[in-house]
Amino acid sequence: MLVCLRGLIVSMSEKYGLVNNGLIVFDDSTGLIEDVRRWDERDLVRCDLIEGDEHSIVMPGLINTHTHAPMLLLQGLGAGLTGFDWLRRIWCVEGLLKPEHIYLSAKASILLMLENGITTFADHYFYEEEVARAVEELGVRGVLAKSVIEYSEHAPKHTIEESVSFATNYNKVANGRIRTMIGVHAMYSCSTETLLKAVESSEKYDIRIHMHFSESLHELEYIKSKYGVTPTSLARRLGILKTKPLLAHATYLSDEDIKTLSEHEVYVAYSPFTIMSWGQDIARVGELIEGGVTVSLATDGPVTDGDLSLFKQMKLAIAAQSSRYRTPSRLHPKEVLEMVTKKAAKSLGIEDLVGVLEPGKKADIVVLKPPKTRVVGLYDDPYTTIVYNLGDESVSDVYVDGRKKVSDKAPLGIDVENLREKLTDTRTELLDEAAICGK
Ligand SMILES: [Zn+2]
């Protein structure tokens, strides 16, 4: 069936740009976009189904480049803590998690992300097979990594071999909607032996590494005292920077570190809310971008960022970078939108599939129907209006792979009430058990 979406097309594509009163045509059986152009009355005959209207905004599905979807069950824990204190508390509770918790919680996070217009997410956690199961069932796109943590007494233990095995076994399953990476929690939580094995496997199997990187002052001080160098220097020494890694946070960087990262093909996932609310510094994103590093936006997990909103991260990224560099123009709204679409797709290595609306790309699409009072300046500057004025409440319809997942703000094909009940019961049981972890 040929599905046609009307509206202001914000394609994020260099070729198609913005199309006022435009039309996206896609085939819901192949999931591929066939056309991007101006609306024409004759389309009334050509399209099997026409949705949207001249007031809708049609843009690529948003891409979240770093999260831990199964952590939704732990929301509220770790409040008021930062760095290693936060980790000790969370790792203890994570030690109680069972695969069924992961599946349930991942489903709830995916649902929340869909409601917020997020159609692809890069995940990093234990028992990642359960996240894959949820991705397959709910029909979204995921770039998944099974995370290895060694220096935690409690957190479930996976070996680097298991992480690599997950990455090779699950790549391109779910009709190609799942892609994989090797998951290393961080350099401070894994041995150099494991980190070297991750690099070796990355090169051997051509699978990239997804890891936390120089996220907190605790990490910076720990790495410096243990290895005598900064996290960036250590990553270079271990060969990590040669593997095109996806690095979450990159908060603490010296001038020399920024130069080093700029000389390598690395991808930084920037989560301003998590890091700033942890009481950590504002990352030097403006300088990384100037140095040629591809930076995308991410929510991080739903414990440090409960609403999994990329609209929120876009606003915060502009505010944080403007404040850091004392100028309102270090990040432009269009650039920030690229950081959740085009650049995010590139960061995850799926730019051949998604990130822009163009013929031949997958129909991962978000239709926004914002309150009228928020779009007064829309046609003067759509990018600024979307980033500054709109939020998750504007997301009306969401398509992944040509299939409708959210219709008029309501998720399709999932019993939300049943999921909520199960989550609530499971969390109550889990928190009873977690009393051993203290406050
Ligand atoms: Zn994280």
Side-chain angles (χ1 to χ4, degrees):
M1 180 169 75
L2 272 192
V3 180
C4 297
L5 300 178
R6 286 188 64 190
L8 165 64
I9 313 295
V10 182
S11 74
M12 303 312 292
S13 146
E14 264 176 44
K15 183 172 177 191
Y16 294 89
L18 298 164
V19 188
N20 277 335
N21 196 16
L23 191 76
I24 295 276
V25 183
F26 66 86
D27 184 330
D28 71 347
S29 57
T30 62
L32 292 173
I33 296 172
E34 298 201 343
D35 205 359
V36 179
R37 59 186 160 80
R38 291 272 295 181
W39 158 256
D40 183 322
E41 289 294 332
R42 284 169 289 185
D43 290 317
L44 286 169
V45 179
R46 291 184 195 130
C47 301
D48 297 312
L49 176 69
I50 300 177
E51 299 198 308
D53 55 34
E54 68 268 36
H55 303 297
S56 304
I57 300 169
V58 182
M59 61 179 291
L62 307 183
I63 300 172
N64 181 3
T65 56
H66 175 75
T67 189
H68 316 282
M71 293 184 86
L72 188 127
L73 208 50
L74 312 183
Q75 278 187 338
L77 304 187
L81 301 177
T82 187
F84 289 176
D85 294 333
W86 185 92
L87 284 164
R88 271 189 285 273
R89 165 88 172 127
I90 295 296
W91 281 348
C92 179
V93 184
E94 283 177 335
L96 305 168
L97 293 175
K98 306 283 183 296
E100 190 57 27
H101 295 137
I102 306 296
Y103 168 67
L104 194 63
S105 199
K107 269 178 93 169
S109 281
I110 291 170
L111 187 66
L112 179 53
M113 285 192 272
L114 277 173
E115 288 172 335
N116 293 345
I118 297 170
T119 52
T120 299
F121 66 105
D123 200 68
H124 196 266
Y125 212 59
F126 322 109
Y127 308 123
E128 197 69 18
E129 295 84 356
E130 299 297 322
V131 181
R133 188 175 146 208
V135 166
E136 180 149 27
E137 202 177 305
L138 296 188
V140 293
R141 216 174 283 285
V143 178
L144 312 181
K146 190 172 202 171
S147 183
V148 179
I149 295 185
E150 291 176 305
Y151 299 158
S152 154
E153 282 172 53
H154 306 284
K157 296 281 191 293
H158 297 315
T159 62
I160 197 73
E161 288 79 12
E162 286 174 292
S163 181
V164 173
S165 165
F166 171 82
T168 50
N169 290 336
Y170 279 81
N171 198 31
K172 298 192 179 174
V173 306
N175 199 27
R177 285 183 284 102
I178 292 179
R179 299 296 169 97
T180 54
M181 292 192 186
I182 296 169
V184 173
H185 178 264
M187 290 189 294
Y188 63 78
S189 54
C190 290
S191 63
T192 50
E193 191 190 5
T194 291
L195 295 164
L196 287 169
K197 274 191 199 171
V199 170
E200 192 185 313
S201 299
S202 172
E203 287 170 346
K204 183 174 174 187
Y205 299 105
D206 194 21
I207 307 171
R208 293 168 55 203
I209 296 171
H210 180 179
M211 64 189 289
H212 295 100
F213 178 76
S214 204
E215 61 186 18
S216 68
L217 201 52
H218 290 76
E219 173 176 354
L220 179 69
E221 287 166 355
Y222 176 82
I223 296 285
K224 273 186 168 175
S225 69
K226 187 169 179 183
Y227 299 101
V229 292
T230 64
T232 302
S233 294
L234 180 61
R236 180 171 59 182
R237 187 193 288 176
L238 295 171
I240 292 171
L241 300 187
K242 286 193 295 181
T243 64
K244 304 178 189 172
L246 176 60
L247 304 174
H249 307 313
T251 312
Y252 289 94
L253 303 174
S254 65
D255 292 347
E256 187 60 31
D257 291 338
I258 289 176
K259 189 167 172 285
T260 301
L261 293 178
S262 302
E263 288 165 357
H264 291 81
E265 186 181 345
V266 299
Y267 296 86
V268 169
Y270 176 41
S271 309
F273 184 81
T274 289
I275 295 301
M276 290 197 298
S277 63
W278 253 22
Q280 306 291 332
D281 284 356
I282 297 172
R284 298 171 68 177
V285 165
E287 290 152 276
L288 284 172
I289 293 173
E290 262 179 24
V293 174
T294 301
V295 181
S296 56
L297 288 182
T299 61
D300 211 342
V303 174
T304 48
D305 186 273
D307 59 359
L308 296 176
S309 168
L310 283 176
F311 279 97
K312 181 179 74 185
Q313 302 295 343
M314 287 195 278
K315 290 179 180 63
L316 278 172
I318 288 191
Q321 295 302 308
S322 299
S323 175
R324 162 118 214 167
Y325 297 108
R326 297 181 180 172
T327 166
S329 54
R330 198 60 182 242
L331 280 182
H332 296 275
K334 186 181 177 191
E335 192 175 9
V336 172
L337 268 177
E338 287 175 350
M339 290 163 79
V340 295
T341 54
K342 189 157 88 174
K343 286 186 179 179
K346 189 179 174 208
S347 298
L348 302 184
I350 52 172
E351 67 273 30
D352 56 325
L353 299 176
V354 292
V356 296
L357 300 180
E358 282 178 357
K361 295 283 197 264
K362 288 289 189 179
D364 287 17
I365 302 172
V366 175
V367 179
L368 307 175
K369 294 182 181 172
K372 299 285 183 286
T373 45
R374 297 199 185 198
V375 289
V376 174
L378 178 65
Y379 295 99
D380 301 327
D381 185 349
Y383 301 114
T384 299
T385 299
I386 292 170
V387 172
Y388 276 76
N389 301 12
L390 307 192
D392 304 311
E393 71 290 332
S394 296
V395 174
S396 173
D397 305 303
V398 181
Y399 302 79
V400 186
D401 223 14
R403 305 287 163 87
K404 199 170 195 180
K405 296 293 163 190
V406 178
S407 179
D408 198 14
K409 299 182 189 293
L412 300 176
I414 183 164
D415 186 341
V416 179
E417 190 49 33
N418 181 267
L419 180 63
R420 190 193 67 78
E421 275 178 25
K422 277 190 186 167
L423 267 176
T424 310
D425 293 347
T426 308
R427 179 181 159 94
T428 305
E429 288 167 22
L430 185 71
L431 292 193
D432 281 349
E433 271 190 82
I436 55 166
C437 298
K439 292 284 172 194

